[in-house]
Amino acid sequence: MTSDRISRIRLSSVALPLSTPVSDAKVFTGRQKPMTEVSMLFAEIATEGGHEGLGFSYSKRAGGPGQYAHAAQVAPELLGEDPNDIARLWDKLVWAGASVGRSGLSTQAIAALDIALWDLKAKRAGLSLAKLLGAHRDSVRCYNTSGGFLHTPLERVLDNAAAAVERGVGGIKIKVGHPDGGVDVKRVASVRERLGDDVPLMVDANQQWDRATALRRCRELERFDLVWIEEPLDAYDHAGHARLAATCDTPIATGEMLTSVAEHAELIRAEAADILQPDAPRVGGVTPFLRLLALAEHAKLPVAPHFAMELHVQLAATYPLEPWVEHFDWLEPLFVERLEITGGRMIVPDRPGLGLTLTERARAWTTDQVVLDM
């Protein structure tokens, strides 16, 4: 018998506006338009016993309405269920929408529900999610990305980087992949000079180089002592990434675009990454993310989860090998709470669950909503 049952689910589609249109290499190569908003999917799950959990997923540029629609179709499967049985419920949600596959938009929609169930479980235990899962640390190394996009003028990138380090962020990542390779080198050289040799520095090409260009660019960037070069090639070019990882001194990081444990398993099997960058909302939530971390640990791979620091700081704290977490300030307007950063590290919140509460602005930006009752 179950002592509690899921009685109510609220799903909200939220359009989070960005203050400035954002461009990375995909825009400069003509493959995408500048990003003006992030589409968020929130799931709020309540039980008969009075417990509540909050989860979220997201999409950039396209897919938000699709995630919301899929979640609204499969979420009724949770009503009346025991919220403790998270792994079984994840499988139930996947099978409810199996005709559209077990990766991509379908699992990203499920992620919001799965994360809400884990948040609920940790809150009920009176523990942070990291403590519930079993933490290895109370803080995680962090690096900032949001200040170094390609659309940002170089002087502003330099100021942003210096300000982030002054604020306590541990490393800086800037975007590369400009059609003019000289622009990339100038920007990286300028940031390295401004920060000095002791600040960890990373770059991200957002999949915009072909194999020959990637090898050439990676060699050109070797002198800057980078922590990693991220997504130099198409996300599914495992053979190309493996060749770069075996050839270049600078570690190769990738994985953020993959949307299932199976896809990450292939990446690991191909030895295509020196550093794995999984994204819990993209792979389907906490449940599959934990399976993925087990594969990464077995392969002795460092991890640096992509985006969504509000969730990933909790999950990164559970990984045995010292990880990184990505500091992105984009989602901050959605949540009342703020993450603490000091000495190059992000502190894992000790509030129960994820320790997150939606703001009034998040409610105001809601474009669609459905409430499901038992």
Side-chain angles (χ1 to χ4, degrees), residues 17-23 34-37 151-152 156 330:
L18 300 178
S19 58
T20 303
V22 173
S23 297
M35 192 188 323
T36 58
E37 66 179 27
H151 72 272
T152 309
R156 181 68 181 273
W330 289 2

Side-chain angles (χ1 to χ4, degrees), residues 38-43 55-59 67 105 107-113 115 279-282:
V38 179
S39 295
M40 302 295 300
L41 169 62
F42 287 105
F56 65 89
S57 190
Y58 73 93
S59 62
Q67 283 188 29
L105 184 148
T107 47
Q108 291 172 51
I110 290 170
L113 296 161
I115 293 165
D279 184 315
R282 282 183 174 165

